[in-house]
Amino acid sequence: MEKLLKRKIDAFLTNWKANPNRKPLIVKGARQIGKTRSIEWFARQNYKSVVQINFVEQPKYKHIFEEGFEVDKILKNISLLEPGFAFIPRHTIFFFDELQACPNCATALKFFKIDGRYDVICSGSLMGINYREIESNSVGYKEDYEMRSMDFEEFLWAKGYSEDFVESLYHHMQEAIPFSPLQLDVLFGLFRDYVTIGGMPEVVNTYIKNGNFSGTLAIQRQLLADYEEDITKYVEGLDKAKVKAIYNHISTFLAKENKRFQITKIARNARNRDYIGCVEWLADAGIINICYCMNYPELPLKGNYDPKLYKIYFKDTGLLIASLDEEAQEDLRANKNLGTYKGAIYENIIGDMLAKQGYSLFYYRSEKPPLEMDFFLRDAASLIPVEVKATDGATASLNNLLKDNRYPDIRYGIKLGYKNIGFNGKFYTFPYFLTFLLKRFIADRNRPTGTPQTAWGE
């Protein structure tokens, strides 16, 4: 079995197996982000016997729990359906795929943990309301891991760059060492490719195999169609047409100067109360990131926002590009002006890169005084405004937040753009492509640092 792409879940699974007190694991995430492939590879590399069951493709296995959840009864029923499976204590892993189609399986995890003879990994799509039922089962007897589409570091690995290379990027960032013109040109080229194709594994793999963008747009558009079909299949208790309407208008919201979600952009005389739950369903399904408007630029972040004011972004910027017109992909690759969409594209990718580091997303916008900031992060003691610049325009809002004593929680800021590394005493300037290292940078900012060897030969 060929392992196509190195993923961060690979190291997580290795560490999970090394833990003598490991619990059954549930790997969840949006569809088609590589869950099944990664788990299959890990299982076949680490166990003598792999019992793999897919509850969507093999619905007959849903009945293996009908006699109860005692492990030996489950094994007996599996053997009735497939006598070829081998159950070797301490050397067998059960891989239950499409868990959301069989909530009873989640209940069984408690009994597998108590029994202790076999390892269990489940994979589940975030699509469908059954996941809420699954979450409540076997509490305390399972571990959850949320997998996302490939981040920029995984994309660099796919392109052949090493972990030492990533460390060299971080050294530049941590020590505020500017890149050379050649380094910037190469790295921005890689980043534009990542923005254009996104992080869906099939798209990335096609791009790597072909050495160009041939065939990637067709795959992306099929993914968009598949997600729309899934809305029809899985949405329950909500108006499917309304969920689809929001899904199909994401790029419309982002094209506006004020990118805030407004229901009137979908339909004339539409009312928010008629769309309650629709945006949340898309977020729960792993399709969108939600960025909430803060009430005021101060700590804490959570609890200090208006749940009725928000922006929505595609979780995969490649799918945003694919949702635009035919020329958009080529324009971005050539770094041409995309008009109103240029700012939206870079906001979308930065939002996703932050979300993939575990950040919740928040922004701020006020008319009096006029002030707008794309994102806010935090460290232990301060609020950190993050400005995303699609052009070389002024940074008035960032400067105002930093100099105004009405915002005492803000001690420094971050500006992201087509710029080199810099620090002016008030805010850091970083090129877009370093965003995936921001959480590590913020955590390490006040710690003593060493000087790791760099891959650039410095």
Side-chain angles (χ1 to χ4, degrees), residues 79-143:
S79 294
L80 285 172
L81 295 171
E82 177 46 73
F85 280 135
F87 309 122
I88 309 169
R90 316 297 173 191
H91 298 286
T92 297
I93 187 167
F94 288 82
F95 174 23
F96 296 115
D97 204 358
E98 302 290 1
L99 175 65
Q100 75 283 351
C102 185
N104 276 337
C105 182
T107 303
L109 299 184
K110 173 181 178 179
F111 298 88
F112 273 100
K113 170 59 179 170
I114 293 170
D115 181 272
R117 288 176 291 166
Y118 308 100
D119 287 348
V120 181
I121 296 180
C122 302
S123 174
S125 167
L126 289 170
M127 292 281 186
I129 62 171
N130 282 338
Y131 218 91
R132 285 190 169 81
E133 183 180 348
I134 288 168
E135 286 288 333
S136 65
N137 290 343
S138 294
V139 173
Y141 294 92
K142 64 178 176 62
E143 182 177 358

Side-chain angles (χ1 to χ4, degrees), residues 189 228 243 304 335 340 406 413 444:
E228 186 167 352
V243 178
N304 177 30
N335 198 24
T340 55
R406 288 180 296 178
D444 289 345

Side-chain angles (χ1 to χ4, degrees), residues 11-22 42 46-47 119:
F12 175 86
L13 292 173
T14 298
N15 292 333
W16 171 79
K17 188 177 189 304
N19 180 0
N21 296 315
R22 60 188 172 274
F42 164 78
N46 288 278
Y47 293 86
D119 287 348

Side-chain angles (χ1 to χ4, degrees), residues 273-293:
R273 67 186 184 190
D274 295 330
Y275 287 78
I276 290 174
C278 295
V279 171
E280 291 77 7
W281 189 93
L282 290 169
D284 289 343
I287 296 173
I288 63 170
N289 290 315
I290 302 178
C291 183
Y292 290 101
C293 185

